[in-house]
């Protein structure tokens, strides 16, 4: 049941504080150490691994891009993230020193499952992140990290994504502690920051009226662009996918630095540009990119961390998220983008939970 909500999607968006919390606490012991129970990746195993691939489709792939960043940053292991339908056919370099992380809400996605099988046949170790106990992917993987999102009914994935992010951060932290690439102090800080995420999501959700107003302003647009740098680019990709699939508005994500290499030609009067600017080290550069598109007539909607008032000079609207460790910002910046897609979809009269031509679980290749 929709528990009083108009749609499953908005119910599931609102379930994210809890999903994130569950995913975290189920994997922490009383000393706040990560306990992986059934996952048996020892330090010796990790020392053997010289390559990690994260393979998934759609939204899960977007989570995998953030996962790559976290694993490389924390554990200093080279990671490649690929969409399953591409990974399979490009004859990737996989052997017994490879760790393949597959990410799949349903655990049944045909391309992801096929990629798993192929990598396994070449000797790779398989770690699955999935939301469904007993799914094909969970049964065929060597190790499974379950997300605790609870059942996701709406076709558009929301709470699965944020819980996948938490899972990937925890896996990255665990690898890093085993390999000795981060200090206990750093670990404690990130765990502490993760523990504070649910209440910060809650704060954004309490502000959804403001996002609904922005949806009203852009609902007639034919095209929209999403821009970001670093982690914000990956969230831009997720935001663009979400609005496309449920509201049928054409949207594209660009790495903000790529604008001047061609795509800025598309910017015209009143086109919505959603600019995500949560990363401190890239903030100034993002503000310049926003100014560039604004000067060409774009309607700029910025997502920034509280206190970064400087975005206001380059934006028509600003959605502030609570202050957060930059590395974890994706778990927060995606929330306003989910809400924006939801409200645009509702206002355009679309079938929010069951968009045309889409199925919840894609079991054909
Ligand atoms: C988008 C969406 C899809 C899925 C993709 C993978 O909102 O839901 O892009 O993320 O089909 O599905 P799973 O995670 O079940 O493998």
């Amino acid at each position: 049941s929709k528990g009083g909500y108009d749609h499953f999607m908005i119910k599931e968006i609102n379930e994210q504080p809890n999903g994130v919390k569950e995913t975290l606490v189920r994997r922490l012991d009383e000393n706040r150490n990560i306990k992986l129970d059934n996952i048996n990746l020892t330090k010796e195993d990790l020392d053997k691994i010289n390559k990690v691939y994260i393979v998934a489709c759609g939204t899960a792939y977007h989570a995998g891009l953030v996962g790559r960043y976290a694993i490389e940053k924390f554990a200093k292991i080279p990671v490649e993230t690929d969409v399953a339908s591409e990974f399979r056919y490009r004859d990737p370099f996989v052997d017994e020193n490879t760790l393949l992380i597959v990410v799949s809400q349903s655990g049944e996605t045909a391309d992801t499952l096929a990629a798993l099988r192929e990598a396994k046949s070449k000797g790779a170790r398989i770690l699955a992140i999935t939301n469904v106990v007993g799914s094909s992917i969970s049964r065929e993987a060597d190790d499974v990290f379950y997300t605790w999102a609870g059942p996701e009914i709406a076709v558009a994935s929301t709470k699965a994504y944020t819980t996948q992010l938490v899972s990937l951060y925890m896996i990255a932290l665990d690898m890093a502690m085993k390999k000795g690439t981060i200090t206990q102090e750093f670990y404690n800080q990130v765990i502490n920051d993760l523990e504070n995420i649910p209440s910060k999501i809650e704060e954004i959700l309490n502000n959804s009226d403001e996002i609904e107003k922005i949806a009203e302003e852009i609902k007639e647009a034919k095209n929209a662009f999403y821009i970001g740098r670093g982690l914000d680019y990956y969230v831009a990709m997720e935001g663009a996918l979400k609005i496309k699939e449920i509201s049928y508005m054409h949207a594209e994500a660009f790495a903000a630095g790529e604008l001047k290499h061609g795509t800025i030609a598309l910017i015209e009067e009143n086109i919505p540009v959603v600019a995500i600017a949560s990363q401190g080290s890239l903030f100034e550069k993002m503000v310049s990119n926003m100014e560039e598109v604004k000067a060409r007539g774009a309607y700029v909607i910025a997502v920034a961390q509280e206190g970064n008032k400087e975005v206001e000079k380059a934006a028509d609207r600003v959605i502030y998220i609570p202050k957060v460790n930059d590395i974890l910002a994706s778990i927060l910046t995606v929330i306003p983008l989910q809400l924006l897609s939801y409200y645009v979809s509702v206002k355009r009269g679309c079938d929010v939970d069951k968009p045309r031509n889409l199925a919840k679980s894609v079991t054909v290749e």
Side-chain angles (χ1 to χ4, degrees):
S1 114
K2 293 179 200 150
Y5 289 98
D6 291 343
H7 302 96
F8 282 109
M9 185 185 178
I10 190 70
K11 172 172 179 267
E12 290 164 5
I13 287 174
N14 277 282
E15 284 168 349
Q16 291 179 108
N18 197 52
V20 163
K21 189 169 148 223
E22 285 296 310
T23 302
L24 189 64
V25 300
R26 301 261 175 185
R27 292 290 186 180
L28 289 180
D29 67 17
E30 61 281 6
N31 300 317
R32 293 157 89 230
N33 290 320
I34 294 173
K35 51 169 183 171
L36 291 181
D37 306 330
N38 49 328
I39 301 174
N40 193 25
L41 268 177
T42 62
K43 176 170 167 43
E44 291 65 45
D45 295 334
L46 286 172
D47 284 343
K48 231 185 61 179
I49 288 163
N50 54 27
K51 186 65 184 271
V52 177
Y53 286 103
I54 305 179
V55 172
C57 302
T59 290
Y61 164 70
H62 297 154
L65 293 169
V66 176
R68 173 178 75 191
Y69 187 95
I71 294 172
E72 289 194 336
K73 194 119 192 147
F74 297 167
K76 315 282 183 229
I77 308 172
V79 184
E80 250 184 85
T81 301
D82 210 348
V83 290
S85 57
E86 288 297 318
F87 178 80
R88 288 177 59 195
Y89 301 113
R90 74 175 165 96
D91 196 16
F93 190 82
V94 173
D95 63 16
E96 53 288 337
N97 299 322
T98 305
L99 173 67
L100 183 85
I101 303 180
V102 289
V103 188
S104 175
Q105 187 284 129
S106 63
E108 301 296 346
T109 300
D111 279 313
T112 311
L113 183 58
L116 177 163
R117 286 179 180 154
E118 189 173 318
K120 200 172 173 178
S121 75
K122 291 180 173 170
R125 176 90 176 242
I126 316 288
L127 168 58
I129 299 175
T130 180
N131 197 39
V132 180
V133 178
S135 56
S136 305
I137 285 175
S138 77
R139 282 184 277 114
E140 296 191 29
D142 296 302
D143 303 289
V144 184
F145 191 114
Y146 287 108
T147 47
W148 284 84
E152 196 179 59
I153 309 290
V155 164
S157 187
T158 54
K159 61 180 183 170
Y161 174 81
T162 40
T163 56
Q164 284 159 0
L165 293 186
V166 174
S167 307
L168 285 158
Y169 285 121
M170 295 186 85
I171 289 166
L173 284 173
D174 179 67
M175 286 178 169
M177 285 303 277
K178 283 176 180 154
K179 286 186 68 88
T181 49
I182 55 171
T183 61
Q184 184 69 46
E185 195 187 347
F186 179 87
Y187 171 89
N188 293 346
Q189 185 59 53
V190 178
I191 291 291
N192 188 62
D193 293 339
L194 279 167
E195 286 174 331
N196 288 323
I197 291 283
S199 67
K200 293 181 182 183
I201 297 178
E202 210 70 74
E203 266 185 63
I204 301 170
L205 294 172
N206 291 337
N207 236 348
S208 55
D209 288 358
E210 186 198 331
I211 296 159
E212 186 172 0
K213 282 186 205 135
I214 298 172
E216 184 63 35
E217 292 168 344
I218 67 162
K219 69 175 186 199
E220 307 291 350
K222 287 206 165 51
N223 302 289
F225 296 112
Y226 285 67
I227 60 173
R229 286 172 177 260
L231 287 173
D232 290 337
Y233 171 45
Y234 309 143
V235 174
M237 292 165 81
E238 174 56 11
L241 174 61
K242 209 98 300 175
I243 203 160
K244 277 185 277 205
E245 69 172 329
I246 61 166
S247 79
Y248 319 140
M249 183 188 289
H250 169 244
E252 274 190 74
F254 300 125
E258 277 289 292
L259 278 172
K260 57 182 165 302
H261 297 289
T263 40
I264 199 160
L266 290 167
I267 302 298
E268 52 187 26
E269 205 57 42
N270 275 328
I271 195 159
V273 174
V274 179
I276 304 128
S278 73
Q279 301 294 297
S281 61
L282 300 166
F283 183 74
E284 294 298 330
K285 291 237 153 66
M286 267 310 292
V287 173
S288 321
N289 293 134
M290 288 158 59
E291 284 172 330
E292 281 158 20
V293 293
K294 196 166 157 53
R296 289 162 180 82
Y299 187 75
V300 179
I301 301 152
V303 179
Q305 294 198 35
E306 232 155 52
N308 285 334
K309 289 232 169 267
E310 212 194 315
V311 276
E312 290 174 16
K313 70 173 190 210
D316 296 279
R317 293 281 177 268
V318 182
I319 303 165
Y320 286 110
I321 58 158
K323 274 213 160 311
V324 63
N325 183 339
D326 284 8
I327 299 174
L328 305 181
S330 310
I331 317 180
L332 298 185
T333 49
V334 74
I335 310 287
L337 307 188
Q338 296 169 343
L339 288 166
L340 190 65
S341 307
Y342 173 74
Y343 289 120
V344 169
S345 175
V346 170
K347 288 171 192 297
R348 286 164 79 120
C350 301
D351 189 349
V352 177
D353 286 336
K354 284 199 172 62
R356 68 189 180 205
N357 311 339
L358 288 169
K360 182 64 184 161
S361 151
V362 184
T363 52
V364 290
E365 298 180 10

